[in-house]
Amino acid sequence: MDIQTFSPELVLPAEQPLDDAVPAELIDRTFSSDCIDLASIALNSRVLAFSDEFFANASNLINPRAPVHRPGVFVPSGAWYDGWETRRHNTEPFDWVIIRLGVASGRPKGVEVNTAFFNGNEAPAISVDGCYETAEGADNVVTGQGFNGWSEVLDKRPCGPSQRQAWKLEGQHGSLTHVRLRMWPDGGIARFRLYGRAVPVWPSNLTQEVELSAAVMGGVAESCSDQHFGGKENLLLPGRGVDMGDGWETKRSRVPGHTDWVIVKLGARAKVSRIVIDTAHFRGNFPQGVVVEAAKLEGNNIVAHDDPTWSELLPVQKVGPDQEFEFGKDVLLKVEERDFTHMKLTIIPDGGVKRFRVFGTRAL
């Protein structure tokens, strides 16, 4: 069976872009340095309700992996598609799906709709609404008939066949807990991404330890030297994942003295108590060693990987395959005296890391 993965080479030319549209080749660069995908199932986002999913399941929309194509494969409902596809001839103006975000709430900065491999059955147009509902039973409230708490996040935009399309969200958008994707009037969409920043709920006890690097707590992987096999954003996901595909992995190096690195902005300025580096599922391709450096920046300043601001927090440590390595105050350098906003994980010389967790307390 031929299984084809969606790649930039398969992107068909888009129609004339709107002012806030992001070209397909710039989507990752535009949102990857200061956003996460708030709607990803990897953050425990979930589909709560939908109008129809006759041909393909709505839950496919929030799969973090790229869509794949299996030409010639049929299931009882018709051709197999890796996405959400509804019946033809919708009698209502639009089909819809409601998603509970995997973060406590999040502020959106962009929307991506990918119609990969939907050609002739793609959604003609989409729009996105959002709401902020945190009371007990909120999921039942937003999916109930007559709920009128939706506000527009992105107005109606045309979609084309088999392509990535994204739009920046201009202006200020409040925090959201739920989103509704509307598809006008019916058809298929492979993936839906809602780019933005998590708005965490901090413990009232300021001495309580928190995973400050976690994506759900506002952590963001801002930059890295390489992510050939696995994206840097995976380092900050909850849990230990399912395979090597949901970790950060760089290409093999051939130059003596080579290292790879990733820079993470913490969810808040913090005093660090311990660091966990997890190589789960990386058994023949784990790094030989790791180093962690830290920096304290003001505002939204970006720090380069070779900036002299970095100071060593964790000296070189050896790691091994498929396990968690915890480093506490016995090896961390002068953590009681300093607080930080950014971490730089360096791996020696290359390889894969599943999770990078930085624990501590907020420094107010």
Side-chain angles (χ1 to χ4, degrees):
M1 179 193 304
D2 291 333
I3 300 178
Q4 191 175 14
T5 302
F6 185 74
S7 64
E9 290 77 13
L10 295 170
V11 175
L12 300 181
E15 296 181 1
Q16 184 67 28
L18 300 169
D19 290 343
D20 57 358
V22 180
E25 66 274 13
L26 298 180
I27 294 173
D28 294 334
R29 188 187 311 173
T30 299
F31 297 112
S32 67
S33 65
D34 65 346
C35 293
I36 61 173
D37 178 10
L38 298 167
S40 172
I41 198 171
L43 290 179
N44 298 317
S45 299
R46 61 191 188 277
V47 169
L48 299 180
F50 47 82
S51 59
D52 182 69
E53 57 173 6
F54 183 83
F55 290 110
N57 294 341
S59 59
N60 292 329
L61 286 168
I62 57 177
N63 183 343
R65 301 196 177 191
V68 299
H69 190 36
R70 294 175 177 169
V73 175
F74 287 82
V75 293
S77 59
W80 184 92
Y81 275 92
D82 186 9
W84 173 45
E85 186 180 6
T86 64
R87 293 175 174 87
R88 296 186 185 221
H89 314 308
N90 189 10
T91 58
E92 299 295 328
F94 54 82
D95 278 314
W96 53 267
V97 59
I98 295 174
I99 299 167
R100 174 58 168 99
L101 303 183
V103 295
S105 67
R107 291 195 180 96
K109 291 188 175 183
V111 167
E112 179 187 345
V113 167
N114 186 346
T115 56
F117 308 115
F118 287 97
N119 191 340
N121 54 348
E122 74 280 354
I126 60 94
S127 61
V128 180
D129 307 308
C131 68
Y132 181 83
E133 292 287 338
T134 59
E136 185 176 350
D139 292 349
N140 293 329
V141 171
V142 303
T143 56
Q145 288 188 343
F147 177 70
N148 59 3
W150 297 111
S151 60
E152 185 177 86
V153 173
L154 181 71
D155 58 2
K156 192 173 179 180
R157 301 302 171 98
C159 293
S162 197
Q163 61 188 270
R164 295 179 70 186
Q165 291 180 267
W167 303 269
K168 292 181 181 178
L169 299 177
E170 303 298 338
Q172 295 294 320
H173 288 272
S175 295
L176 304 177
T177 56
H178 301 76
V179 291
R180 178 178 64 173
L181 172 64
R182 293 195 279 181
M183 177 165 58
W184 303 78
D186 53 44
I189 298 170
R191 297 290 187 267
F192 169 71
R193 313 289 190 218
L194 183 70
Y195 297 112
R197 292 292 298 269
V199 180
V201 176
W202 298 104
S204 57
N205 181 358
L206 296 180
T207 65
Q208 182 175 334
E209 187 182 67
V210 179
E211 187 182 341
L212 292 141
S213 57
V216 296
M217 300 305 291
V220 175
E222 291 189 331
S223 60
C224 66
S225 58
D226 180 78
Q227 50 184 345
H228 187 81
F229 293 109
K232 65 187 187 304
E233 66 278 1
N234 293 331
L235 287 168
L236 312 184
L237 294 176
R240 302 189 71 201
V242 296
D243 56 32
M244 287 191 299
D246 56 9
W248 172 53
E249 186 181 3
T250 66
K251 64 173 70 75
R252 294 184 186 225
S253 59
R254 307 299 185 186
V255 179
H258 177 87
T259 59
D260 281 313
W261 53 265
V262 60
I263 294 174
V264 172
K265 182 178 182 179
L266 303 179
R269 187 165 57 89
K271 291 187 176 296
V272 176
S273 57
R274 60 190 175 101
I275 291 172
V276 175
I277 296 173
D278 189 358
T279 59
H281 304 111
F282 291 99
R283 301 183 179 97
N285 48 356
F286 56 92
Q288 296 302 294
V290 297
V291 176
V292 178
E293 296 167 275
K296 179 181 176 181
L297 301 180
E298 299 298 331
N300 294 318
N301 293 333
I302 301 295
V303 59
H305 75 95
D306 56 355
D307 193 287
T309 302
W310 294 108
S311 61
E312 192 172 65
L313 183 63
L314 177 68
V316 177
Q317 303 290 321
K318 185 175 178 59
V319 294
D322 197 21
Q323 60 184 299
E324 289 182 302
F325 298 86
E326 182 169 333
F327 306 100
K329 292 182 179 180
D330 57 326
V331 291
L332 299 179
L333 302 178
K334 299 180 181 179
V335 287
E336 295 89 351
E337 304 171 14
R338 302 182 288 174
D339 51 76
F340 306 104
T341 59
H342 289 70
M343 297 284 142
K344 182 175 75 169
L345 169 65
T346 298
I347 58 175
I348 305 168
D350 54 40
V353 175
K354 178 54 69 74
R355 300 289 184 261
F356 177 49
R357 308 193 191 283
V358 179
F359 294 87
T361 56
R362 284 193 298 159
L364 299 179

